[in-house]
Amino acid sequence: MFVFHTKLRNIPLSEKFAAYYHALRLDFSTTAYLSVIPLLIYTFWYFTDREKINFNWVKKYNAVFIVLFSLISVINFNIYREWGSKINSRAIEFAIRTPNESLASGASSPILQTLLVLIVLLAVGFYLNFVLVKRDVQFYKTPLWAKFSITILTLSLNFLLIRGVGNAPNSQSMAFFSTHQILNHASLNTEWNLVSSILANGKIKKNRYVYQYQKLADLEVKNLYHVEKDTTISILNTSKPNVVIFILESFTADLTKTLGNENGITPNLDSLAKNGVLFSQIYATGNRTDKGLIGSLTGFPTLAVANIVSWPEKMQKIPAISQKLYQNGYQTSFYYGGESKFDNYKAFILGHQYKKLTDRNNFEKKDMSSNWGAYDGLVFNRQLADANQTQQPFFSTILSLTNHEPFELPVNYKFGSASNVQRFKSTAFYTDSCIGSYLSEAKKQPWYKNTLFVFVADHGHTLPKNNHEIYEPQRYHIPLIFYGDVIKNNFRGKIFDHTGSQQDLSATLLSQLNINSKDFKWSKNLLNPYSKNFAYFSWDNGFGFINNGHAVTFDNLGKSVLYNNKPKDTKQTNQILNTGKAYIQSAYQHFIDL
């Protein structure tokens, strides 16, 4: 609460203090867990004839946890700043699998503040450990029956603190009490939540999002994707164009003039929107690149805290655009300036018939001047050069990375570099300028006139406006643009404003190419007039569902609605909430069954 005090300014003081009260249950539970070993050892010596025992080892025992918990605490508030959720199993996996990328992600964190908080936590912890823990413990002569009584009482009390009093055992929900999500997260014990997340992550054989009978949930989802007529609005003048998909790092709709009313950041992307086909109400399926990559290229939905890229054997079983196009005679390639092993990207890419992969290992060392790898300009130019040597038709996917923390650039910062907002705008402007340069050069190539360019973000971002919480739909609003000479003249400049998801790119694109997309059960054709207007997204703790402009988000831990833009429409709210629950339940069951 100290670190994020600016976000608490408009919250009543009484509610802030209430967070400390609601934190007690899981704080006591954590303390009781840590007390198990000292308590059992104490109990053992209690039943011996010793009059005094040395308890100095407890100070060392405590010291280990003081250091560990202090480190977890400072890591947690930096993760919370970026992800909007507390440290969990996903963050640990991220750090273990890709330590270099983890450090790069944290490079924009406030170093001085982090060190100051760490020093204070360590100092207070060691001081209390020195003052409160006695070096020796004196035993007094006590009847055996009294010893048994005291032991049973002590162990029972410790067990009750671990489990919690009442019918329901302790869970994260015990800390949730407020309509202000930040207060719920403040009262949720960080270490208790982390261990719970790690344990839950290993239990994928059981659906953790069961809200109704599975058959009812599956039927609800089936009805969502059912269309009266399987047809499409044909916007292309050819059925077999080259296809180049740009998946743009953190390119939230808020960056653009067209969708976010921001001037001068993305002039090229705004021009493409005016001269191509713009889908104006598209939402990212998640809040991380791995989720956006899978969502855009396979149509598979996010699973809240779980992630399909962590299980390559399951990931290989879902279809991808690249597979379909390869089977239809396309040359397939993937370009990324970073490390493709990061978050199992490489397993996905090579497992879905991308026949050519170019990543940071294919660039010279002098080009690796960014924490993440090669800057976007170099990557875009590499794909352009390779395209000139590639047999048509070809399908290329380009995953950008420059617009990622810590927002580094090989050129001057257009909007300054004093703050993260300025740096974010500047890196977005750089990537946008690279798009402009790429297309200017591509227009000179013989393959250009037969190429469809698709631009979509991997996920949204709290910047540049810095006013969207992780559970607000606006944070997931992203651009989706089809562009190129292969688009019929009467559709250039056309805006489709039906609600959809980046998951829908798969079915929409394949339908334009007259390729069957029935394998993509989680993707709908945005250009089918009979498709329903909805979008689903999720983050670590919850999900959101949007239906015809009505958006509701729900916290899976606190079991509460976090956002509702039409709260007076109770009937529609309940319907959307039930549909969202059915969606995440059915998606997670599909994941289990793979």
Side-chain angles (χ1 to χ4, degrees), residues 126-342:
F126 280 116
Y127 174 75
L128 292 175
N129 189 39
F130 177 78
V131 171
L132 298 178
V133 180
K134 294 181 179 180
R135 180 181 179 86
D136 298 310
V137 175
Q138 187 79 34
F139 288 136
Y140 297 97
K141 289 186 177 181
T142 308
L144 189 60
W145 66 267
K147 287 185 176 183
F148 273 109
S149 299
I150 293 171
T151 299
I152 292 172
L153 179 64
T154 305
L155 293 177
S156 298
L157 177 60
N158 201 67
F159 173 78
L160 284 176
L161 289 175
I162 288 174
R163 182 195 180 278
V165 180
N167 293 328
N170 282 333
S171 68
Q172 287 96 331
S173 296
M174 303 303 177
F176 284 65
F177 71 99
S178 176
T179 56
H180 301 285
Q181 189 71 347
I182 191 170
L183 291 183
N184 293 327
H185 289 158
S187 64
L188 176 60
N189 185 281
T190 301
E191 290 74 27
W192 198 101
N193 179 68
L194 174 60
V195 174
S196 176
S197 173
I198 292 172
L199 294 175
N201 195 44
K203 302 173 182 177
I204 63 167
K205 293 184 178 180
K206 182 179 179 181
N207 194 329
R208 64 178 75 182
Y209 304 116
V210 176
Y211 292 104
Q212 54 191 275
Y213 288 117
Q214 190 60 51
K215 288 184 178 180
L216 292 178
D218 293 340
L219 181 61
E220 181 79 13
V221 172
K222 183 179 180 181
N223 289 335
L224 275 176
Y225 287 97
H226 175 74
V227 290
E228 294 181 16
K229 186 177 181 181
D230 188 9
T231 185
T232 191
I233 299 171
S234 178
I235 64 171
L236 305 182
N237 55 32
T238 176
S239 62
K240 206 161 190 176
N242 304 309
V243 180
V244 180
I245 296 180
F246 285 79
I247 301 178
L248 304 174
E249 171 66 49
S250 300
F251 253 69
T252 170
D254 284 344
L255 282 169
T256 68
K257 174 66 176 177
T258 306
L259 300 174
N261 202 30
E262 286 282 346
N263 291 313
I265 303 176
T266 61
N268 291 290
L269 206 63
D270 286 318
S271 176
L272 300 182
K274 291 179 181 178
N275 295 284
V277 174
L278 171 66
F279 300 90
S280 63
Q281 294 299 319
I282 301 300
Y283 294 84
T285 189
N287 61 329
R288 304 298 298 173
T289 299
D290 52 331
K291 298 178 180 181
L293 186 70
I294 297 298
S296 297
L297 299 177
T298 74
F300 197 81
T302 52
L303 305 167
V305 72
N307 195 349
I308 196 168
V309 297
S310 299
W311 287 271
E313 69 282 0
K314 291 180 177 288
M315 183 169 58
Q316 304 309 318
K317 296 177 183 178
I318 58 176
I321 296 172
S322 51
Q323 289 174 311
K324 287 291 186 179
L325 295 191
Y326 179 77
Q327 293 163 9
N328 280 269
Y330 278 74
Q331 304 296 312
T332 55
S333 57
F334 193 102
Y335 294 80
Y336 177 52
E339 176 55 71
S340 62
K341 294 178 182 177
F342 173 64

Side-chain angles (χ1 to χ4, degrees), residues 49-119:
D49 295 329
R50 291 198 177 194
E51 294 182 357
K52 184 172 67 174
I53 62 170
N54 188 313
F55 234 50
N56 195 47
W57 67 271
V58 175
K59 289 189 176 182
K60 298 176 182 178
Y61 177 83
N62 288 344
V64 172
F65 287 104
I66 289 170
V67 173
L68 180 62
F69 283 18
S70 296
L71 289 171
I72 290 174
S73 294
V74 295
I75 292 171
N76 174 70
F77 77 69
N78 283 310
I79 285 177
Y80 194 84
R81 179 180 287 107
E82 299 296 336
W83 289 13
S85 61
K86 306 198 76 164
I87 185 172
N88 52 31
S89 61
R90 170 127 175 77
I92 301 300
E93 289 175 7
F94 183 47
I96 292 173
R97 289 205 310 264
T98 53
N100 292 333
E101 285 78 4
S102 299
L103 290 173
S105 287
S108 60
S109 300
I111 303 300
L112 290 178
Q113 185 187 55
T114 300
L115 289 175
L116 176 62
V117 173
L118 179 60
I119 291 170

Side-chain angles (χ1 to χ4, degrees), residues 362-377:
N362 299 100
F363 291 89
E364 296 181 20
K365 191 173 183 179
K366 65 181 179 64
D367 295 329
M368 297 295 106
S369 53
S370 157
N371 275 303
W372 283 97
Y375 288 106
D376 290 346

